[in-house]
């Protein structure tokens, strides 16, 4: 609808003698001001040397002429203030929107923006031998949502997970395992994470132990020590299997798993082949002078003095592999914002080697999750892991439904679905880039701005639809009431929100919209008798409830959130 109206305004302006590249249309917060509003008359009035109100009148006159087709979905156009043009959608439009939702079902909200395009999204990226921390939880929620939003725009999505199975963190964990005084057989990923913490503390506080860990690191790369190799292979398998269990809970499946151990030699080969062209040899250390190409960039080491590839070099190997394997039209990487600057340097280096990759790479960053005690360190003993946060969230939801007349299986399923929703919504409700302050109690509330609130509202709507079936109320051939409610004025906007979320790669627009839609539905629910056999408008109201439920189902899917049968 928005695109159609924008095109018609462009045609009207063209008939007046103005070429408009873009038309800004917004939804007024007050429905009394219409369903759409534009400031286009104030933007272009100077070109004709007339007042914005005069241009607004000319635009409206053009829109009302026979030369502009398909204007029937507008019931009224008004000028407001210094020259805003407000558009009021017709009664028939809102009714047809409800019918369209019921017809399209799972396809409601989809568009053709990315049809025929392949997009690879890399996200989550937990490292074997370390805990699945909160950053991985955030990256997973954002990456999965971005992938689903682009799928709704008809893109072919390839999901990728890049994991650091070599590097200093692995050496620290293996040092902890070898010096912990315990047998590692039978231990789980949580125990391995504790050994990593011990090894990390030893590295930071004892020079002799630091040297020993550095030597272990070299042996891991070279596979030169059989005892270390056995521990490494065991620990890698245990932690990767533990991550798979978390992915299942988060409803994520990956098409590709990339590992640093494989990417490192590939990247090193590329770097060494480009010494003197892109990279410089500084006494055996291979570096890239980013500031030579952009003053905002800086120098980074790609191969250190010990001859080992750094994260930057592995990143080059990864990027080359992605394009060789899948050749995506767009390759997106989701990481914490603290990796933003080094990723810019890597991207510049890659662009000098493969200029054709430059415009096909996109880096999305997110801020940190903070608690009352501030940012949590990923290598100190007081860390709150992503896994523990998932478990805590599910346990609290389980307590909230403990007294309800549900089976234990139903309670466990609700705890899982609602607990995950609480976390994902808390992450996705805010715009990307900034830190979020996680409020545990608010996140699991069934009232207000939370994932469980959205689920609860959707479950309420579905319950109404089930009751209608039980009492044999008709759901077709409806008689339309004269008054259109606020719910119709909001629900039709969903496809616009999906498109905007893709264009900006910002899932929070969907979260915000669903919160508004839920609030509007609950007002409709409180003001309206929906199930009334004697009311000829009941079938239409049921259709509206079904349209709402479908919109919530599709929208929550885009956030990676399921709707339970009961709550």
């Amino acid at each position: 609808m928005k695109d159609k109206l924008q095109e018609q305004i462009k045609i009207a302006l063209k008939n007046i003698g103005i070429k408009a590249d873009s038309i800004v249309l917004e939804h007024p917060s007050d429905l009394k001001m219409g369903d759409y509003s534009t400031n286009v008359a104030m933007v272009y009035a100077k070109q004709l040397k007339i007042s914005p109100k005069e241009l607004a009148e000319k635009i409206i006159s053009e829109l009302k002429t026979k030369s502009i087709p398909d204007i029937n979905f507008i019931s009224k156009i008004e000028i407001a203030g210094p020259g805003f043009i407000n558009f009021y959608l017709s009664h028939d439009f809102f009714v047809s929107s409800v019918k369209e939702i019921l017809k399209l079902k799972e396809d409601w909200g989809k568009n053709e923006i990315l049809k025929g395009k392949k997009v690879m999204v890399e996200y989550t990226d937990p490292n074997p031998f370390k805990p699945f921390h909160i950053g991985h939880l955030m990256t997973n929620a954002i990456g999965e949502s971005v992938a689903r939003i682009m799928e709704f725009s008809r893109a072919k999505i390839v999901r990728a997970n890049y994991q650091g199975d070599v590097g200093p963190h692995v050496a620290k964990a293996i040092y902890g395992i070898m010096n912990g005084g315990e047998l590692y057989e039978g231990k789980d990923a949580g125990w391995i994470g504790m050994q990593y913490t011990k090894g990390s503390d030893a590295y930071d506080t004892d020079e002799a132990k630091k040297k020993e860990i550095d030597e272990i690191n070299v042996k891991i790369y070279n596979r030169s020590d059989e005892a270390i190799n056995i521990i490494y292979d065991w620990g890698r398998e245990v932690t990767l299997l533990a991550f798979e269990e978390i992915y299942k809970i988060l409803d994520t499946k990956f098409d590709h798993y990339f590992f640093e151990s494989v990417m490192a030699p590939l990247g090193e080969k590329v770097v060494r082949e480009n010494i003197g062209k892109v990279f410089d040899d500084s006494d055996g250390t291979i570096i890239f002078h980013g500031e030579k190409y952009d003053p905002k960039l800086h120098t980074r080491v790609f191969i250190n003095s010990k001859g080992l590839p750094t994260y930057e070099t592995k990143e080059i190997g990864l990027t080359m592999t992605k394009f060789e394997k899948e050749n995506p039209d767009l390759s997106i990487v989701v990481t914490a914002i603290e990796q933003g600057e080094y990723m810019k340097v890597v991207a510049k280096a890659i662009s000098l080697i493969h200029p054709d990759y430059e415009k096909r790479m996109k880096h999305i960053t997110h801020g940190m999750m903070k608690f009352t005690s501030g940012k949590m360190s990923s290598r100190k003993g007081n860390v709150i892991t992503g896994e523990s946060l998932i478990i805590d969230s599910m346990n609290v939801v389980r307590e909230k439904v403990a007294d309800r007349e549900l089976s234990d299986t139903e309670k466990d399923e609700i705890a899982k679905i609602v607990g995950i929703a609480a976390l994902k919504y808390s992450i996705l409700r805010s715009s990307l880039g900034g830190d979020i302050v996680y409020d545990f109690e608010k996140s699991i509330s069934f009232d207000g701005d939370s994932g469980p609130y959205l689920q609860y509202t959707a479950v309420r709507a579905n319950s109404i639809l089930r009751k209608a079936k039980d009492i044999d109320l008709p759901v077709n051939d409806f008689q339309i009431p004269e008054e259109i409610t606020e719910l119709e004025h909001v629900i039709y906007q969903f496809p616009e929100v999906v498109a905007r979320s893709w264009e900006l790669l910002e899932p929070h627009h969907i979260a915000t919209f669903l919160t508004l839609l839920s609030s509007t539905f609950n007002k409709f629910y409180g003001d309206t008798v929906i199930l009334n056999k004697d009311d000829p408008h009941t079938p239409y109201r049921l259709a509206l409830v079904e349209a709402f439920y479908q919109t919530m189902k599709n929208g929550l899917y885009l956030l990676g959130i399921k709707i339970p049968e009961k709550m």
Side-chain angles (χ1 to χ4, degrees):
M1 178 49 56
K2 186 178 182 180
D3 292 343
K4 192 173 186 179
L5 184 53
Q6 284 173 323
E7 187 59 32
Q8 291 188 357
I9 295 171
K10 281 184 182 180
I11 294 171
L13 285 168
K14 183 180 179 181
N15 291 346
I16 296 168
I18 295 173
K19 181 182 179 182
D21 295 325
S22 62
I23 304 295
V24 176
L25 275 177
E26 296 180 337
H27 297 286
S29 56
D30 186 349
L31 290 177
K32 293 178 182 177
M33 303 301 291
D35 295 289
Y36 289 103
S37 181
T38 181
N39 66 346
V40 68
M42 290 181 282
V43 173
Y44 292 104
K46 286 183 180 179
Q47 289 190 25
L48 298 182
K49 298 181 180 179
I50 60 177
S51 71
K53 279 193 174 181
E54 287 180 87
L55 179 54
E57 288 169 356
K58 287 179 179 289
I59 293 170
I60 292 172
S61 177
E62 282 292 329
L63 289 171
K64 289 182 177 179
T65 64
K66 297 287 185 181
S67 61
I68 306 295
D70 301 325
I71 200 69
N72 294 333
F73 58 80
I74 301 292
S75 64
K76 184 171 63 172
I77 309 175
E78 289 183 344
I79 300 172
F84 288 99
I85 305 175
N86 295 338
F87 299 88
Y88 297 78
L89 296 174
S90 68
H91 184 280
D92 288 345
F93 166 78
F94 291 115
V95 174
S96 67
S97 291
V98 172
K99 291 180 179 179
E100 182 182 18
I101 296 169
L102 300 186
K103 177 184 176 182
L104 292 176
K105 295 187 181 298
E106 282 76 18
D107 286 336
W108 165 237
K110 292 183 178 179
N111 59 68
E112 304 290 319
I113 297 173
L114 295 174
K115 188 174 182 180
K117 301 292 184 181
K118 182 191 286 186
V119 181
M120 179 178 278
V121 186
E122 177 211 317
Y123 58 104
T124 310
D125 299 356
N127 295 324
F129 294 91
K130 288 182 70 176
F132 188 96
H133 63 63
I134 291 167
H136 300 135
L137 181 61
M138 294 181 71
T139 305
N140 179 274
I142 294 164
E144 182 62 34
S145 182
V146 166
R148 293 184 181 201
I149 289 167
M150 289 190 292
E151 280 179 325
F152 248 53
S153 297
R154 306 293 185 183
K156 173 178 170 53
I157 298 297
V158 181
R159 290 168 169 82
N161 191 342
Y162 176 48
Q163 296 172 277
D165 61 339
V166 291
H169 71 280
V170 180
K172 293 170 185 176
I174 289 180
Y175 173 87
I177 292 169
M178 293 172 68
N179 293 274
E182 295 182 71
L183 294 175
Y184 62 83
E185 288 89 346
K187 295 294 196 300
D188 60 13
W191 181 82
I192 294 173
M194 289 189 289
Q195 306 319 303
Y196 160 75
T197 300
K198 292 176 183 177
S200 183
D201 288 339
Y203 192 88
D204 291 343
T205 57
D206 189 310
E207 273 300 317
K209 292 176 181 177
K210 179 179 183 297
K211 183 179 179 181
E212 185 178 347
I213 291 169
D214 286 337
E215 290 171 355
I216 292 173
N217 190 32
V218 174
K219 291 175 182 177
I220 292 170
Y221 272 102
N222 298 335
R223 298 283 296 182
S224 58
D225 187 302
E226 187 59 31
I228 289 175
N229 291 345
I230 292 171
I231 296 173
Y232 172 85
D233 292 341
W234 167 82
R236 185 179 186 274
E237 181 181 10
V238 168
T239 46
L240 289 178
L241 286 173
F243 293 157
E244 287 298 324
E245 292 303 312
I246 297 173
Y247 303 150
K248 288 178 185 177
I249 294 172
L250 296 174
D251 197 22
T252 301
K253 292 181 179 179
F254 294 101
D255 302 294
H256 287 295
Y257 292 90
F258 298 110
F259 293 97
E260 286 189 17
S261 58
V262 180
M263 298 303 112
L266 298 177
E268 183 178 355
K269 181 175 182 292
V270 173
V271 170
R272 292 194 182 280
E273 287 174 348
N274 285 275
I275 294 174
K277 292 179 282 187
V278 176
F279 305 96
D280 296 310
D281 189 332
S282 177
D283 297 326
T285 300
I286 312 303
I287 60 177
F288 175 72
H289 292 287
E291 66 276 6
K292 283 169 52 178
Y293 306 95
D294 186 337
K296 294 180 181 178
L297 301 180
H298 56 281
T299 296
R300 301 288 300 193
V301 173
F302 278 69
I303 298 177
N304 65 26
S305 59
K306 296 183 177 67
L308 296 179
T310 61
Y311 290 117
E312 290 82 352
T313 291
K314 298 167 191 173
E315 204 66 56
I316 285 182
L318 173 64
T319 302
M320 301 303 181
T321 303
K322 286 178 179 178
F323 281 99
E324 287 171 7
K325 278 185 174 290
E326 293 289 350
N327 193 30
D329 296 285
L330 181 63
S331 176
I332 295 175
V333 178
V334 185
T335 73
I337 199 168
E338 57 197 22
Q339 293 176 254
E341 293 307 311
Y342 109 78
M343 288 288 283
K344 289 177 184 176
V345 176
V346 173
K348 173 52 68 176
I350 291 171
S351 73
L352 297 173
I353 302 167
H354 279 279
D356 55 315
Y357 291 174
E358 186 170 12
K359 292 183 178 179
R360 294 157 66 191
M361 296 187 295
K362 174 75 175 176
H363 186 208
I364 298 175
T365 60
H366 61 82
M368 306 301 293
M369 181 183 285
K370 295 185 176 181
F371 301 85
T372 53
S373 57
K375 175 182 172 181
M376 294 293 179
S377 169
S378 65
R379 60 183 184 84
K380 300 297 181 183
N382 65 342
V383 66
I384 298 176
T385 68
E387 185 177 9
S388 68
L389 199 58
I390 291 170
I391 294 169
D392 288 346
S393 184
M394 292 192 296
N395 286 342
V396 172
V397 174
R398 185 67 164 77
E399 291 173 7
K400 288 175 76 75
V401 299
D403 296 333
R404 304 201 178 181
E405 294 182 5
L406 301 166
S407 69
D408 286 342
T409 301
E410 287 174 326
K411 290 175 183 178
D412 289 342
E413 185 67 9
I414 291 170
K416 176 183 172 183
I417 293 175
V418 177
I420 293 299
L423 289 169
K424 287 191 174 185
Y425 181 84
S426 295
I427 294 165
L428 297 173
R429 64 184 290 273
S430 301
S431 59
L432 301 182
D435 293 343
I436 67 170
V437 178
Y438 183 69
D439 188 316
F440 202 94
E441 289 303 317
K442 286 184 179 179
S443 77
I444 55 168
S445 172
F446 286 13
D447 298 310
D449 189 11
S450 71
Y453 167 71
L454 302 185
Q455 290 174 309
Y456 184 76
T457 306
V459 169
R460 168 181 278 175
N462 200 28
S463 176
I464 294 169
L465 297 174
R466 283 200 300 266
K467 287 179 182 177
K469 290 180 180 178
D470 292 341
I471 58 178
D472 198 28
L473 282 167
V475 291
N476 295 309
D477 301 322
F478 29 76
Q479 185 173 328
I480 313 301
E482 291 184 10
E483 293 295 323
I484 292 296
T485 72
E486 187 178 348
L487 183 56
E488 286 101 322
H489 282 274
V490 174
I491 200 169
Y492 82 92
Q493 299 173 24
F494 180 59
E496 296 176 21
V497 177
V498 175
R500 188 181 184 201
S501 296
W502 145 240
E503 289 163 4
L504 301 177
L505 291 178
E506 289 274 10
H508 81 272
H509 295 294
I510 292 171
T512 301
F513 172 78
L514 295 181
T515 302
L516 171 63
L517 183 62
S518 294
S519 175
T520 307
F521 175 80
N522 285 322
K523 183 177 184 299
F524 167 79
Y525 177 82
D527 295 343
T528 310
V529 178
I530 299 172
L531 298 178
N532 183 350
K533 274 190 172 183
D534 299 325
D535 188 339
H537 299 140
T538 291
Y540 171 76
R541 292 191 179 113
L542 285 171
L544 180 56
V545 172
E546 186 177 350
F548 164 78
Y549 179 76
Q550 187 68 61
T551 304
M552 290 297 294
K553 184 179 179 181
N554 292 6
L556 286 170
Y557 169 81
L558 293 177
L559 299 181
I561 294 173
K562 295 179 179 179
I563 301 173
E565 286 296 315
K566 300 176 182 179
M567 279 184 76

